[in-house]
Amino acid sequence: MSARDLIEGEALLDDEEDDESFDEETGESRRKTNGTNGVNGGFPDSSEEEDDDDDEEAVRAVREGFIVDEDDDAEIRSERKRERKKRRREEQEPVDEALDEDDLYLIGEKVEDDQTQESRFKRLKRGHKEDTRLAHGLPDIFNSDDEEAEVDRRPDRRGAQDEFEDFIEEDTFSDEEREREQDDEEVARPTRKGVPGYHISDASGLTESALDDLREAFGDGSDYYFALEKEEEEQEQDQEQEKHLDLKDVFEPSQLVEKMLTDEDNLIRHTDEPERFQLARKPYKNVILTPDQFKDEAAWISKLLFPKRRIQADLHGPFQEAIGKVLDFMVTEDFEVPFIFQHRKDYLIHSLKRPVGRDEQGNIEYEIDATKLLLQSDLWEIFDLDLKYRALVDKRNTLQKTYDNLISMSYITSDTVFNAMLPAATSMEELQDVQDYLYFRYSIKIKEMNQANASVTNGDSQHRRKAISRTLFERVRSSKAYNMVRAFGITADDFAENALNKGVRNYTEDPTEQPDDMADSMVDTDFPTGSHALKAARMMFTEELVMSPKMRKVVREYFYESGVFDCFRTEKGLKKIDEQHPDYEFKYLRNQDFNQLARQPEIYLRMLKAEEEGFVDVKMRLLDTETIREKLHKQIESDNFSEVADAWNKERKAALDEALARLSKIMARSVKEHFKLECENAVAKTCREAFSQRLDQAPLKPPGMKKGTAPRVLTLSNGTGIIGRDPVSWAYVSDEGHVEIGTFTDLVVGDKDRDIQDGKDVAALVEVVQRRGPDAIGISGFTPETRKLHQQIRTLVDKKDLRGPVYQDDYEHNVSDLLDVVIVNDEIARLYQTSDRARTDHPGFAPLTHYCIALGKFMQDPLKEYASLGRDLTSIIFTQGQQLLPQERVLKSLETVLVDYVNLVGVDLSEANNDAPTARLLPFVAGLGPRKAVHLLKVLGSQGEIMKREDLLGVNNTLAAMGPKVWSNCASFLFLPYENTEPESEPLDNTRIHPEDYDIARKMAADALELDEEDIKAEVDENGDGAIVRKLFKDDAQDRVNDLILEQYAEQLETISRQRKRATLETIRAELNDPYEELRNLFVMSLSTEEVFTMFTGETKHSLHSDMIVPMSIKRITDDHVDGKLDCGIDVVVGESELSDDYSTSVKSLYSLYQTVRVKLMNVDRKNFSATASLREEMLKRPYRRFNDHMHNEWDDRQEVDDKKLLEEKTDAGGRAMRVIKHPLFRPFTAKQAEEYLGSQNRGDVVIRPSSRGNDHLAVTWKVADGVYQHIDVLELDKENEFALGKTLKIAGRYTYSDLDELIVNHVRAMAKKVDEITLHDKYRNESKNGTEDWLTTYAQANPKRSNYAFCLNREFPGYFHLCFKAGVHGDLRNWPVKVIPQGFELQKNPYPSMRDLTNGFKLLYQNMQAGVRR
């Protein structure tokens, strides 16, 4: 192995290496043959050819997008089988006239060739000899002249020419073998009739007449050909089944699911229904709504949505009607949201025609008052609510079926409570209440019914059934004690009606006996004493109250009206949640109602997350429980005044109190879960709105060009580098997607007046701009240094007068503007730079170059770049609390926005067939989805370019890409460029006009051109249906459409076809004027100050603001101020008045350069990336506390004080005093607790904690990777006392620091940056050591002459990495440990400052080691 093998880093396959080739489709290696591989010299026999045909077809089917059309595949196999049968019949005809060699040998007939040969059986036994002889190697090929000459002298054994005769190698046998062969030839058999040139009679000793008599007696064998042919057909069928490869035979089930190639995926792909509808409605595909249920659904959804829309109360009727129409479009006609919003917009608008006066002729003039009833986001909510309603109907039907079965099987007669509550249930909670009631009331009956049904189903009706165990309540219900339940004088249902204040009050009746006296008369075997009977009756009455659906409804309403949330810390939370913890915001939160939490839904979700982690308990209670209890007591008590009444009222109240306690727990749990869903919906809606703003921007508009035109852009980024020291990467991206890249370093513009020359790269940048002519320059990066780059480029553009392309202004003057220098949002570029897609699109480019390319593509079309992210879209944070939602929930919400904007912009079909980013938009087109989009691309690829939208349906002799329903959904959103030179090109196919409205558009065009019926007919007869619109465009007469009075058109259409088309007519007019006009807003040329600050620093307004205490690294010290820098890159200035409390001491004696100190931020200037701070001890002693805007009764201050005292007492009660270091990162944790705390933190986050080695040591734990934490022992020197922090801190005897902040920044954070550097390297593999070695082995097998190496994390020793390498296919797998140190990396005790130095150092070390081995 040479050093060059490792330095190249990439493996190339030489042309000479033909032993194996790499299958680009499957990623597997395959063997190549050189014509001599195998028994037949590399040429397969006929059976092998057939096998290969089938195998190639199967592999080809797998390769073509992993999609196999089963019907087409079956037809192909059937046709191939027929061809083989035909070919076989043709081959059999000459066989009847010519015997093959074996037949001749068996009958003993001599062949003209005198050379003896071994029998087939013996030759098979000598297969190993032949293989050995064939594998002589390459040099033997040139020493076979004699053999070739001898082979040429051999006559044909068959006496007939064969096309492969030159490729069959004959064997030469010994004399013994020749004798055995001659013995074999003595075995003879009758030959077939009519074979010329062979005399069977000579070999058999029979005359011709004797042979004829033999044939007449026994036949010549042809009578049994039919049986042989049938047997051959059966064998062929078996071979066909064996040779047919299904995808499931090739791929793992998980791969089929990932690639969407399962049978279910194929069914979705070919079903004529929108893919999103099929997936969403899958659980409810058997739920069929009746007309009444359909009407009720509209009312149910209207009740939920109307309060959110905040429109006039008198529009509730039209609002519900609009929802009914939307449901009809979705459910009955299978129209998706974009289609409804675009082509059924009139049904979403309420128009009111009001008279405003009369015109000059005396006609009444009207004014249209239009109100948007439903927005596009409302349509998506209706779609979700429709699914929820179907779930309601499904559960309701199940309960109704159970109830009907109970009646039909005569287990019960009727139940008024069930009959009343089931139809009235409008939520899953209420349906669950009805179910609980049914299974409580008739539990024994339901068990008997299920057992009877199971017996009938299994055919065991004659067998004895198992005894059904009875519950306690069933025992009460069947005993005398149940009479006491009725003696309570009111049923649970009647009491609930009283509590709801509905209808006439149900009065409570008192019995004549005392409860104890009556209980004594109710004893039986189940309850042998009066106290037992009374207790059982009270318990039963309590259970009936708990299980009553109406009673649950009463308590649930109380919780929604007056329920509040309290947050209580747990023992775990007492220690974990300190004042620096984000959850401290609600650690002592109390009395929070729904309205307060609904304004900050992420707070409630964080509370539930903390409860899940065991930090807090979130409890819900009624705000005024006593008042509610007293109110309910009055509803259940009787109005009588007697000792008996008082005794029974006491029993009733006791049962009610117990029922309320149980119902409160049940309702609290249910309401908490329901409110959680509402908060998740609110956060998801906020995500949707934020993402919608991101997508609502067109490509950056080049000056003088039409909005929507793709610009040519030049992008630059310094990444994390320092301006003037580190290189700046740049990328030019043309409007056609071509890329040019490079780097600059010195871009400082000189000053001629001061005799300062331009930077060495200024001329190169100017040359690129002048040569390429970009429309704008984009800038972005990872640190505040990027702001300096932005200012530098702006200065360069201004002083060098760099201008964009020339264009004509409104006065038709040729002008050009200075290039715009834009700070670009880089959230997509950060994800793209290290993605597999980047390495596929531009292999070999550095990550920062990929970053620049992504910036350019984002400027050219943000929509395409967001759509290309796929599931990575959820990695972008759009709002607070987003990470608390399930990823699928977030992705679903974001995808609806993509669907909206992709259909707003449309997809060019001809471009989608050739451009991958455009093709990625297809799954979001209405009616389509990932499966149908791939199928559409496959059809387009197979038949080439299509001319009209209708061709997608399979008309005009084209292959159908979709069914009518899917086509109706997507037709107007898939456009085809109009070619005026192409007679078959339809101009309306290049517009948002749906094909169903083409006739209206043509009528409008004809009216605009003032054509009469005869002119229209003549034009259409001559030039086709699109002739009128084509003429409108040709004559440049689109402006005439604006003169049409659309109100009359709309009224005529509504009268004739009963369709509302007023808004559709406006769309048609707009499209005739400007087909597929860009409707998005202009590209965001200027990000907000907060957005730029967060992008360059990673800090938000919540994570960095005034009064916070943060570490600062000192960069400059003067007598009147100190300059420093925060970890995020912000420049900090400490003024003279904030340097020290002791003004007599010199500043330079207090601080030193590069020292890390703690400062308190006084002010943060986010626009200029600067801040002012204080070093005064008095200011640092004031701890930072998050401002909590709570009322006096919303925060438990007393509990907060008690907890602080408790922590102090626990500290004092310890075996030894717990050290407390005044530092924001100090925690009184053990090693395990530190790891748990850092588990959810980012790489590089630190915890400082006490050390078990004594008070002169500290432990620093930092997160290396997920699940990997390094514990650093810090030795303290120069300590003032036992508990004071040492003035000198040492690590491993090698590194010395003056304080903790310096240690964290210069040691831990420095190592964290090196970990980031190695994990971002091209040779890093995010897998285990075994996985990395497996990859190296596979690579070596695919590239035998190549060597490779890779890095992977060492999880056993935190802070170390494995450097695994393998020198060729025969080399051993080896690994060297790489240690991360603050200054870089350490390999074989040699330090290396960067990854480039490390990789080159490794190669030199290995080269020297190999040289030593050779010596």
mmCIF file of all heavy atoms in Angstrom, residues 53-55 57-58 61 68-85 237 239-246:
data_model
loop_
_atom_site.group_PDB
_atom_site.id
_atom_site.type_symbol
_atom_site.label_atom_id
_atom_site.label_comp_id
_atom_site.label_asym_id
_atom_site.label_seq_id
_atom_site.Cartn_x
_atom_site.Cartn_y
_atom_site.Cartn_z
ATOM 1 N N ASP A 53 -33.373 -14.485 -20.009
ATOM 2 C CA ASP A 53 -34.390 -13.539 -20.482
ATOM 3 C C ASP A 53 -35.302 -13.127 -19.352
ATOM 4 O O ASP A 53 -35.595 -11.943 -19.156
ATOM 5 C CB ASP A 53 -35.215 -14.168 -21.624
ATOM 6 C CG ASP A 53 -34.379 -14.326 -22.885
ATOM 7 O OD1 ASP A 53 -33.342 -13.625 -22.965
ATOM 8 O OD2 ASP A 53 -34.772 -15.124 -23.759
ATOM 9 N N ASP A 54 -35.782 -14.145 -18.628
ATOM 10 C CA ASP A 54 -36.707 -13.838 -17.521
ATOM 11 C C ASP A 54 -36.010 -13.034 -16.437
ATOM 12 O O ASP A 54 -36.580 -12.101 -15.879
ATOM 13 C CB ASP A 54 -37.275 -15.131 -16.944
ATOM 14 C CG ASP A 54 -38.225 -15.797 -17.920
ATOM 15 O OD1 ASP A 54 -38.571 -15.166 -18.931
ATOM 16 O OD2 ASP A 54 -38.614 -16.929 -17.654
ATOM 17 N N ASP A 55 -34.776 -13.444 -16.110
ATOM 18 C CA ASP A 55 -34.065 -12.731 -15.057
ATOM 19 C C ASP A 55 -33.823 -11.282 -15.436
ATOM 20 O O ASP A 55 -33.969 -10.368 -14.633
ATOM 21 C CB ASP A 55 -32.738 -13.423 -14.752
ATOM 22 C CG ASP A 55 -32.980 -14.790 -14.115
ATOM 23 O OD1 ASP A 55 -34.102 -14.986 -13.625
ATOM 24 O OD2 ASP A 55 -32.056 -15.616 -14.117
ATOM 25 N N GLU A 57 -35.589 -9.497 -17.492
ATOM 26 C CA GLU A 57 -36.863 -8.772 -17.420
ATOM 27 C C GLU A 57 -37.192 -8.402 -15.996
ATOM 28 O O GLU A 57 -37.649 -7.300 -15.708
ATOM 29 C CB GLU A 57 -37.992 -9.645 -18.014
ATOM 30 C CG GLU A 57 -37.913 -9.812 -19.524
ATOM 31 C CD GLU A 57 -38.181 -8.503 -20.249
ATOM 32 O OE1 GLU A 57 -38.866 -7.647 -19.664
ATOM 33 O OE2 GLU A 57 -37.692 -8.330 -21.358
ATOM 34 N N ALA A 58 -36.979 -9.354 -15.061
ATOM 35 C CA ALA A 58 -37.298 -9.081 -13.658
ATOM 36 C C ALA A 58 -36.395 -7.982 -13.110
ATOM 37 O O ALA A 58 -36.847 -7.070 -12.423
ATOM 38 C CB ALA A 58 -37.153 -10.355 -12.825
ATOM 39 N N ALA A 61 -37.394 -4.671 -14.472
ATOM 40 C CA ALA A 61 -38.602 -4.174 -13.805
ATOM 41 C C ALA A 61 -38.277 -3.592 -12.449
ATOM 42 O O ALA A 61 -38.853 -2.604 -12.018
ATOM 43 C CB ALA A 61 -39.631 -5.307 -13.660
ATOM 44 N N VAL A 68 -43.535 -2.303 -10.764
ATOM 45 C CA VAL A 68 -43.856 -3.392 -11.676
ATOM 46 C C VAL A 68 -45.351 -3.440 -11.849
ATOM 47 O O VAL A 68 -46.083 -3.561 -10.878
ATOM 48 C CB VAL A 68 -43.349 -4.752 -11.146
ATOM 49 C CG1 VAL A 68 -43.762 -5.867 -12.083
ATOM 50 C CG2 VAL A 68 -41.840 -4.729 -11.000
ATOM 51 N N ASP A 69 -45.790 -3.263 -13.049
ATOM 52 C CA ASP A 69 -47.213 -3.394 -13.337
ATOM 53 C C ASP A 69 -47.508 -4.869 -13.536
ATOM 54 O O ASP A 69 -47.076 -5.485 -14.506
ATOM 55 C CB ASP A 69 -47.560 -2.584 -14.600
ATOM 56 C CG ASP A 69 -49.055 -2.433 -14.760
ATOM 57 O OD1 ASP A 69 -49.760 -3.410 -14.441
ATOM 58 O OD2 ASP A 69 -49.497 -1.379 -15.202
ATOM 59 N N GLU A 70 -48.246 -5.441 -12.612
ATOM 60 C CA GLU A 70 -48.447 -6.891 -12.628
ATOM 61 C C GLU A 70 -49.167 -7.345 -13.889
ATOM 62 O O GLU A 70 -48.883 -8.390 -14.458
ATOM 63 C CB GLU A 70 -49.242 -7.308 -11.380
ATOM 64 C CG GLU A 70 -48.520 -7.040 -10.061
ATOM 65 C CD GLU A 70 -47.272 -7.872 -9.933
ATOM 66 O OE1 GLU A 70 -47.185 -8.895 -10.633
ATOM 67 O OE2 GLU A 70 -46.384 -7.496 -9.169
ATOM 68 N N ASP A 71 -50.158 -6.526 -14.353
ATOM 69 C CA ASP A 71 -50.904 -6.933 -15.544
ATOM 70 C C ASP A 71 -49.999 -6.948 -16.773
ATOM 71 O O ASP A 71 -49.979 -7.887 -17.559
ATOM 72 C CB ASP A 71 -52.089 -5.981 -15.755
ATOM 73 C CG ASP A 71 -53.076 -6.066 -14.596
ATOM 74 O OD1 ASP A 71 -53.081 -7.115 -13.920
ATOM 75 O OD2 ASP A 71 -53.806 -5.094 -14.377
ATOM 76 N N ASP A 72 -49.223 -5.854 -16.930
ATOM 77 C CA ASP A 72 -48.315 -5.793 -18.077
ATOM 78 C C ASP A 72 -47.283 -6.906 -18.005
ATOM 79 O O ASP A 72 -46.918 -7.517 -19.012
ATOM 80 C CB ASP A 72 -47.610 -4.432 -18.111
ATOM 81 C CG ASP A 72 -48.618 -3.311 -18.317
ATOM 82 O OD1 ASP A 72 -49.743 -3.628 -18.752
ATOM 83 O OD2 ASP A 72 -48.270 -2.147 -18.044
ATOM 84 N N ASP A 73 -46.786 -7.170 -16.796
ATOM 85 C CA ASP A 73 -45.769 -8.205 -16.637
ATOM 86 C C ASP A 73 -46.326 -9.575 -17.012
ATOM 87 O O ASP A 73 -45.647 -10.392 -17.627
ATOM 88 C CB ASP A 73 -45.298 -8.203 -15.182
ATOM 89 C CG ASP A 73 -43.964 -8.900 -15.038
ATOM 90 O OD1 ASP A 73 -43.118 -8.735 -15.931
ATOM 91 O OD2 ASP A 73 -43.790 -9.619 -14.045
ATOM 92 N N ALA A 74 -47.564 -9.828 -16.647
ATOM 93 C CA ALA A 74 -48.184 -11.113 -16.982
ATOM 94 C C ALA A 74 -48.346 -11.261 -18.494
ATOM 95 O O ALA A 74 -48.123 -12.338 -19.067
ATOM 96 C CB ALA A 74 -49.542 -11.227 -16.292
ATOM 97 N N GLU A 75 -48.739 -10.155 -19.163
ATOM 98 C CA GLU A 75 -48.886 -10.223 -20.618
ATOM 99 C C GLU A 75 -47.549 -10.496 -21.292
ATOM 100 O O GLU A 75 -47.456 -11.262 -22.248
ATOM 101 C CB GLU A 75 -49.480 -8.898 -21.114
ATOM 102 C CG GLU A 75 -50.925 -8.682 -20.662
ATOM 103 C CD GLU A 75 -51.460 -7.347 -21.152
ATOM 104 O OE1 GLU A 75 -50.694 -6.664 -21.868
ATOM 105 O OE2 GLU A 75 -52.598 -7.018 -20.836
ATOM 106 N N ILE A 76 -46.507 -9.859 -20.800
ATOM 107 C CA ILE A 76 -45.181 -10.061 -21.397
ATOM 108 C C ILE A 76 -44.735 -11.499 -21.235
ATOM 109 O O ILE A 76 -44.220 -12.131 -22.164
ATOM 110 C CB ILE A 76 -44.170 -9.094 -20.755
ATOM 111 C CG1 ILE A 76 -44.530 -7.655 -21.123
ATOM 112 C CG2 ILE A 76 -42.756 -9.430 -21.182
ATOM 113 C CD1 ILE A 76 -43.703 -6.625 -20.376
ATOM 114 N N ARG A 77 -44.937 -12.059 -20.044
ATOM 115 C CA ARG A 77 -44.538 -13.450 -19.826
ATOM 116 C C ARG A 77 -45.344 -14.398 -20.702
ATOM 117 O O ARG A 77 -44.815 -15.377 -21.244
ATOM 118 C CB ARG A 77 -44.731 -13.819 -18.343
ATOM 119 C CG ARG A 77 -43.780 -13.114 -17.401
ATOM 120 C CD ARG A 77 -43.717 -13.832 -16.054
ATOM 121 N NE ARG A 77 -45.028 -13.967 -15.474
ATOM 122 C CZ ARG A 77 -45.569 -13.050 -14.677
ATOM 123 N NH1 ARG A 77 -44.910 -11.957 -14.401
ATOM 124 N NH2 ARG A 77 -46.769 -13.242 -14.167
ATOM 125 N N SER A 78 -46.634 -14.099 -20.843
ATOM 126 C CA SER A 78 -47.474 -14.961 -21.683
ATOM 127 C C SER A 78 -47.022 -14.911 -23.141
ATOM 128 O O SER A 78 -46.932 -15.940 -23.814
ATOM 129 C CB SER A 78 -48.943 -14.529 -21.568
ATOM 130 O OG SER A 78 -49.743 -15.313 -22.398
ATOM 131 N N GLU A 79 -46.723 -13.704 -23.634
ATOM 132 C CA GLU A 79 -46.268 -13.574 -25.013
ATOM 133 C C GLU A 79 -44.930 -14.274 -25.201
ATOM 134 O O GLU A 79 -44.694 -14.961 -26.214
ATOM 135 C CB GLU A 79 -46.134 -12.085 -25.358
ATOM 136 C CG GLU A 79 -45.632 -11.808 -26.775
ATOM 137 C CD GLU A 79 -46.624 -12.273 -27.828
ATOM 138 O OE1 GLU A 79 -47.841 -12.363 -27.502
ATOM 139 O OE2 GLU A 79 -46.204 -12.547 -28.953
ATOM 140 N N ARG A 80 -44.020 -14.149 -24.236
ATOM 141 C CA ARG A 80 -42.727 -14.797 -24.352
ATOM 142 C C ARG A 80 -42.872 -16.308 -24.376
ATOM 143 O O ARG A 80 -42.162 -17.026 -25.061
ATOM 144 C CB ARG A 80 -41.845 -14.341 -23.172
ATOM 145 C CG ARG A 80 -40.374 -14.592 -23.381
ATOM 146 C CD ARG A 80 -39.518 -13.755 -22.447
ATOM 147 N NE ARG A 80 -39.839 -14.014 -21.075
ATOM 148 C CZ ARG A 80 -40.298 -13.091 -20.229
ATOM 149 N NH1 ARG A 80 -40.472 -11.859 -20.651
ATOM 150 N NH2 ARG A 80 -40.566 -13.397 -18.970
ATOM 151 N N LYS A 81 -43.833 -16.817 -23.585
ATOM 152 C CA LYS A 81 -44.056 -18.261 -23.546
ATOM 153 C C LYS A 81 -44.561 -18.776 -24.886
ATOM 154 O O LYS A 81 -44.133 -19.833 -25.380
ATOM 155 C CB LYS A 81 -45.064 -18.579 -22.432
ATOM 156 C CG LYS A 81 -45.350 -20.057 -22.259
ATOM 157 C CD LYS A 81 -46.292 -20.262 -21.100
ATOM 158 C CE LYS A 81 -46.636 -21.740 -20.944
ATOM 159 N NZ LYS A 81 -47.564 -21.969 -19.841
ATOM 160 N N ARG A 82 -45.474 -18.012 -25.517
ATOM 161 C CA ARG A 82 -45.996 -18.420 -26.827
ATOM 162 C C ARG A 82 -44.888 -18.441 -27.866
ATOM 163 O O ARG A 82 -44.820 -19.339 -28.719
ATOM 164 C CB ARG A 82 -47.116 -17.476 -27.257
ATOM 165 C CG ARG A 82 -48.415 -17.684 -26.484
ATOM 166 C CD ARG A 82 -49.573 -16.976 -27.166
ATOM 167 N NE ARG A 82 -49.386 -15.548 -27.169
ATOM 168 C CZ ARG A 82 -49.864 -14.750 -26.211
ATOM 169 N NH1 ARG A 82 -50.539 -15.269 -25.198
ATOM 170 N NH2 ARG A 82 -49.677 -13.444 -26.270
ATOM 171 N N GLU A 83 -43.978 -17.450 -27.797
ATOM 172 C CA GLU A 83 -42.876 -17.422 -28.760
ATOM 173 C C GLU A 83 -41.954 -18.622 -28.577
ATOM 174 O O GLU A 83 -41.479 -19.205 -29.544
ATOM 175 C CB GLU A 83 -42.099 -16.123 -28.594
ATOM 176 C CG GLU A 83 -42.882 -14.885 -29.024
ATOM 177 C CD GLU A 83 -42.082 -13.628 -28.795
ATOM 178 O OE1 GLU A 83 -40.966 -13.743 -28.255
ATOM 179 O OE2 GLU A 83 -42.570 -12.543 -29.155
ATOM 180 N N ARG A 84 -41.690 -18.994 -27.320
ATOM 181 C CA ARG A 84 -40.824 -20.139 -27.087
ATOM 182 C C ARG A 84 -41.456 -21.434 -27.606
ATOM 183 O O ARG A 84 -40.781 -22.297 -28.147
ATOM 184 C CB ARG A 84 -40.505 -20.262 -25.593
ATOM 185 C CG ARG A 84 -39.480 -19.253 -25.107
ATOM 186 C CD ARG A 84 -38.869 -19.702 -23.784
ATOM 187 N NE ARG A 84 -39.876 -19.859 -22.765
ATOM 188 C CZ ARG A 84 -40.279 -18.880 -21.956
ATOM 189 N NH1 ARG A 84 -39.737 -17.689 -22.092
ATOM 190 N NH2 ARG A 84 -41.202 -19.099 -21.046
ATOM 191 N N LYS A 85 -42.788 -21.576 -27.398
ATOM 192 C CA LYS A 85 -43.459 -22.783 -27.907
ATOM 193 C C LYS A 85 -43.376 -22.851 -29.423
ATOM 194 O O LYS A 85 -43.134 -23.907 -30.008
ATOM 195 C CB LYS A 85 -44.923 -22.777 -27.470
ATOM 196 C CG LYS A 85 -45.118 -23.113 -25.998
ATOM 197 C CD LYS A 85 -46.588 -23.205 -25.666
ATOM 198 C CE LYS A 85 -46.786 -23.635 -24.222
ATOM 199 N NZ LYS A 85 -48.225 -23.745 -23.891
ATOM 200 N N GLN A 237 -44.258 -24.689 -17.111
ATOM 201 C CA GLN A 237 -45.032 -23.874 -16.189
ATOM 202 C C GLN A 237 -44.352 -23.802 -14.827
ATOM 203 O O GLN A 237 -44.304 -22.743 -14.191
ATOM 204 C CB GLN A 237 -46.452 -24.435 -16.043
ATOM 205 C CG GLN A 237 -47.304 -24.265 -17.296
ATOM 206 C CD GLN A 237 -48.684 -24.906 -17.144
ATOM 207 O OE1 GLN A 237 -48.980 -25.484 -16.104
ATOM 208 N NE2 GLN A 237 -49.499 -24.784 -18.172
ATOM 209 N N GLN A 239 -41.189 -24.140 -14.321
ATOM 210 C CA GLN A 239 -40.013 -23.289 -14.474
ATOM 211 C C GLN A 239 -40.396 -21.816 -14.516
ATOM 212 O O GLN A 239 -39.690 -20.957 -13.996
ATOM 213 C CB GLN A 239 -39.250 -23.673 -15.746
ATOM 214 C CG GLN A 239 -38.588 -25.048 -15.674
ATOM 215 C CD GLN A 239 -37.953 -25.436 -16.998
ATOM 216 O OE1 GLN A 239 -38.042 -24.686 -17.969
ATOM 217 N NE2 GLN A 239 -37.325 -26.610 -17.030
ATOM 218 N N GLU A 240 -41.554 -21.507 -15.154
ATOM 219 C CA GLU A 240 -42.015 -20.119 -15.213
ATOM 220 C C GLU A 240 -42.272 -19.579 -13.806
ATOM 221 O O GLU A 240 -41.909 -18.463 -13.476
ATOM 222 C CB GLU A 240 -43.302 -20.017 -16.050
ATOM 223 C CG GLU A 240 -43.070 -20.090 -17.545
ATOM 224 C CD GLU A 240 -42.357 -18.845 -18.042
ATOM 225 O OE1 GLU A 240 -42.494 -17.773 -17.412
ATOM 226 O OE2 GLU A 240 -41.661 -18.943 -19.054
ATOM 227 N N GLN A 241 -42.914 -20.410 -12.978
ATOM 228 C CA GLN A 241 -43.195 -19.972 -11.624
ATOM 229 C C GLN A 241 -41.910 -19.763 -10.833
ATOM 230 O O GLN A 241 -41.797 -18.848 -10.028
ATOM 231 C CB GLN A 241 -44.080 -21.008 -10.916
ATOM 232 C CG GLN A 241 -45.489 -21.097 -11.512
ATOM 233 C CD GLN A 241 -46.316 -22.172 -10.829
ATOM 234 O OE1 GLN A 241 -45.810 -22.873 -9.954
ATOM 235 N NE2 GLN A 241 -47.563 -22.298 -11.234
ATOM 236 N N GLU A 242 -40.923 -20.639 -11.079
ATOM 237 C CA GLU A 242 -39.660 -20.489 -10.380
ATOM 238 C C GLU A 242 -38.889 -19.282 -10.871
ATOM 239 O O GLU A 242 -38.234 -18.593 -10.108
ATOM 240 C CB GLU A 242 -38.814 -21.752 -10.553
ATOM 241 C CG GLU A 242 -39.417 -22.980 -9.864
ATOM 242 C CD GLU A 242 -38.594 -24.232 -10.148
ATOM 243 O OE1 GLU A 242 -37.594 -24.092 -10.885
ATOM 244 O OE2 GLU A 242 -38.946 -25.300 -9.649
ATOM 245 N N LYS A 243 -38.991 -19.046 -12.185
ATOM 246 C CA LYS A 243 -38.214 -17.951 -12.753
ATOM 247 C C LYS A 243 -38.840 -16.596 -12.476
ATOM 248 O O LYS A 243 -38.157 -15.588 -12.459
ATOM 249 C CB LYS A 243 -38.057 -18.145 -14.268
ATOM 250 C CG LYS A 243 -37.078 -19.243 -14.624
ATOM 251 C CD LYS A 243 -36.836 -19.311 -16.104
ATOM 252 C CE LYS A 243 -38.052 -19.830 -16.850
ATOM 253 N NZ LYS A 243 -37.783 -20.045 -18.278
ATOM 254 N N HIS A 244 -40.179 -16.497 -12.236
ATOM 255 C CA HIS A 244 -40.837 -15.213 -12.001
ATOM 256 C C HIS A 244 -40.432 -14.660 -10.638
ATOM 257 O O HIS A 244 -40.613 -15.298 -9.618
ATOM 258 C CB HIS A 244 -42.353 -15.376 -12.064
ATOM 259 C CG HIS A 244 -43.064 -14.122 -11.685
ATOM 260 N ND1 HIS A 244 -42.912 -12.949 -12.380
ATOM 261 C CD2 HIS A 244 -43.938 -13.866 -10.668
ATOM 262 C CE1 HIS A 244 -43.666 -12.017 -11.819
ATOM 263 N NE2 HIS A 244 -44.291 -12.551 -10.776
ATOM 264 N N LEU A 245 -39.867 -13.482 -10.630
ATOM 265 C CA LEU A 245 -39.403 -12.857 -9.400
ATOM 266 C C LEU A 245 -40.356 -11.749 -8.989
ATOM 267 O O LEU A 245 -40.551 -10.790 -9.741
ATOM 268 C CB LEU A 245 -37.998 -12.275 -9.594
ATOM 269 C CG LEU A 245 -36.853 -13.277 -9.703
ATOM 270 C CD1 LEU A 245 -35.566 -12.536 -10.001
ATOM 271 C CD2 LEU A 245 -36.720 -14.093 -8.437
ATOM 272 N N ASP A 246 -40.980 -11.891 -7.838
ATOM 273 C CA ASP A 246 -41.736 -10.804 -7.250
ATOM 274 C C ASP A 246 -40.781 -9.912 -6.478
ATOM 275 O O ASP A 246 -39.703 -10.330 -6.064
ATOM 276 C CB ASP A 246 -42.814 -11.343 -6.300
ATOM 277 C CG ASP A 246 -43.932 -12.035 -7.067
ATOM 278 O OD1 ASP A 246 -44.193 -11.608 -8.215
ATOM 279 O OD2 ASP A 246 -44.532 -12.980 -6.531
#
